[in-house]
Each structure stands twice: as C-alpha cells, then as structure tokens.
Amino acid sequence: MHFIDLQAQRARLGEPLNQAIAQAVASGQWILGPPVKELESQLAKFAGVKHVVACPNSTHALHLPLMAWGIGPGDAVFVPAFTFAATAEVVALVGASPVFVDVREDTFNMDADSLKAAIAMVKREGKLTPRAVMPVDLFGQPADYRALEPIIRAEKLLVLCDTAQGFGATLDGRVTGSIGDCAGTSFFPAKSLGCYGDGGAIFTNDDELITTLPSLHVHGQGADRYDNVRVGLNSRLDTIQAAVLLEKLKIYTDEIETRDTIASAYNEKLGNLKPVIVPPITKGARSVWAQYTLRVEKRDALQAALKEQGIPSMVYYHRPVALQKAYAEYPRGPVPISEKLGAEVISLPMHPYLTDEQQDRIVAAIR
Ligand SMILES: *Cc1c(COP(=O)(O)O)cnc(C)c1O
C-alpha cells in the first residue's frame, strides 16, 4: 500500500502525458517555452485570478512577493507556529522577522485570537513594524479567513497566502490562489497537484505587483535579460514541468472530488471511534485533503501498530517550525496548541486512487 499513489495517477494519464513530455523535450525550448505561458493562463482561469507567475518551487513563489513588497529588516510577518519550515524561512530570507502565531486545535490553521494577541505584542514592544500575515491552508483546508480577514483589514496588513498544500480548495465560493493580496503554491510531487520534480506558482489580482514579479523572477530584468533594473532571482519553472502540469490540471477537479469522497468516508468510518479525533469538515469550505490527519493521544503506538500491518503513515509535523532551532530567536506569544499537536497528529494514506478495500483495511487496523 502507498501513502500517495502517483503511479496509479500516471497510468490514468497514459500516453498523452508521455507525448507532452516528449514534445517539451523535442521543442528545444526548455526554458520559458510555450507550455509555461499556457500553464500560467490555465492556472489563472482555475483560480479565478488575473495574474500567475510560474516558479521553480513554492519557496520562491512565497519569497518573491515579499521582495516585491519591499518587506525587510525591521518588519514583522505573522506566520503560524505549526507549518512547514518554508513559510517562516522566506520571511527570514528577506531579513524580516517571522512572528509565530498559534493555530486552532480543530483545523490546525492560524488562530484569529492568537493573531490579534501577536499583533498587539509587536506593537507594545515597538521594535518591529507589522507588515504582513501569511495564513497557511494546512493539509489542504482553507485557513480561517472569515475570522482572520477583519483583523488583517483593521490593521492594514498585507496578506500572502501559503497555499502550498491547499491549491484548489474553496471557502464560501472563493478558490485558494484568489484569496489574499497574493498567494504561492507548490507543485512538489507529493502535493495535491504535483509535477515530476519541483514546481510552484504565484497568484495575484494586483496589477501593481505584476509590474515587478515577472522581472524579479528573471534576475530583475528590465528591457531584456541583460538589462538588470533590480536585484532578483532565477525563479523560472521548467518547460517540461509545465507540460506535465497541463496534463494533470485536466483531471485535477475530478481528483479533488474523489479526495473529498475518500475523506468523508474516513470521517464516517472513524468518527465514532473514541480515542481518535477526525478532521472537521467546515461548512461552506472544501479541502483538497493534501493530508488526512487524525489526532490521537497514543500516536506513536498507533503508528507502530499500523507499520506492523504494512500500512504507511506520516507525522506532519513532529516539531512545529516555531520550535525548530533555526527559529528559536524569533518572537512568538504562547503557542501551546502547536506544541501539543506535534505529539498527537498522524496522517493516513490519502490520494484519489485509494480503493474502498484499502481504506477498509486501514480503518480495521486502526480499530
Ligand atoms: C511544501 C510546502 C512549502 C514549500 O514548497 P516547495 O515547493 O517545496 O518549496 C511551503 N509551505 C508549505 C505549507 C508546504 O507544505
């Protein structure tokens, strides 16, 4: 049994996928070939945004908007304490300070009250200027934007959504990518929409931001590639990866629906099993279920027992980013929920090709 079965997906995509890759190679336009522009336009349509810039990964897709906004030393960017390192990393890379905010126990996403407290703390201390908030759509579930947005608006902060795990999720009819001033996603193979290597994209409706982003991602180019008007990066998506993504995008909506059916079935089969807490399904929201994550007190014992029965599982994350050595010096308020989740979470096999039979085996093993 696979934790994520990408070979089953590859079999479904079949010959057209092989042809798309062969064509990208044969074209000789390996850097910024036609599939890249085509992907940007298809992604913009999918998310309902005006502008998309394809990137080589989501770390760059989150780094570039911070650069474009001129966020740097002396600035505070609020990030959840319970997330993948890249969220805080990009803030530190531009010289600003990540400020860690606790998460909600039910959805694992940024907690609005904790955000409010963290902003107040930064203002009280007076050393940093609050500039932006980076909500994360962790495990595929849209962050609690209904509660976060009024706070962010009142404080006049920028919103950069880390939707590396949540691309295509919806909240009240809005698609992730279109939420916030700007968003970055990842096409790392294990994400819900992945390519055959590293990949990512930036999404925005902001016409101002799009005057600098395309330049920043090609070494700050001006009139041409050898005219450098700002300090930038090499941050391009390979043509071959764009070709793969164009094929995968064709089945993505269908895959999201299947993921949702599988997650609901897990919830039904495990919901009344006392020691485990199943992830909530928020009214008006649709998760893309990048992970299906339970909470259980005896997590390590459960993981060992599953392993014995040949069932793969993963722990995202044993140690939240706020508690990692590299981020020890950055400010935070109390983050007790993030600390607790590190000891309790366990993610089960989740992908659109998981059969009922496999799911029943997993459920039986957990019971
Ligand atoms: C995977 C991930 C990233 C980084 O994505 P890359 O494409 O590997 O750079 C950033 N944030 C979150 C929440 C992620 O899960």
Side-chain angles (χ1 to χ4, degrees), residues 268-348:
E268 220 164 89
K269 292 169 186 172
L270 293 169
N272 57 7
L273 191 62
K274 201 77 180 120
V276 304
I277 300 170
V278 298
I281 294 172
T282 308
K283 211 162 168 261
R286 171 174 274 188
S287 173
V288 294
W289 300 104
Q291 303 296 338
Y292 179 84
T293 305
L294 299 174
R295 281 165 54 209
V296 54
E297 247 173 65
K298 294 185 177 171
R299 191 266 318 280
D300 292 343
L302 175 61
Q303 187 166 37
L306 289 175
K307 190 172 175 205
E308 235 166 67
Q309 299 202 32
I311 294 166
S313 65
M314 298 291 279
V315 172
Y316 301 113
Y317 302 95
H318 277 283
R319 202 187 313 153
V321 62
L323 306 180
Q324 297 285 353
K325 183 176 161 212
Y327 299 96
E329 303 302 320
Y330 290 108
R332 82 276 323 273
V335 294
I337 304 296
S338 298
E339 289 178 42
K340 183 169 139 187
L341 289 176
E344 291 187 356
V345 288
I346 179 166
S347 300
L348 302 182

Side-chain angles (χ1 to χ4, degrees), residues 217-236:
H217 96 135
V218 190
H219 303 292
Q221 72 176 11
D224 62 57
R225 216 190 307 168
Y226 300 101
D227 176 34
N228 308 106
V229 296
R230 49 178 71 81
V231 177
L233 284 169
N234 172 359
S235 208
R236 302 176 293 241

Side-chain angles (χ1 to χ4, degrees), residues 57-59 62 83-84 86-87 136 138 162 164-165 186-188 191 198-199 317:
N57 54 63
S58 111
T59 307
L62 296 166
T83 177
F84 183 63
T87 320
V136 176
L138 202 72
D162 178 347
Q165 298 183 18
S186 173
F187 304 126
F188 180 79
K191 309 286 182 181
D198 278 305
Y317 302 95

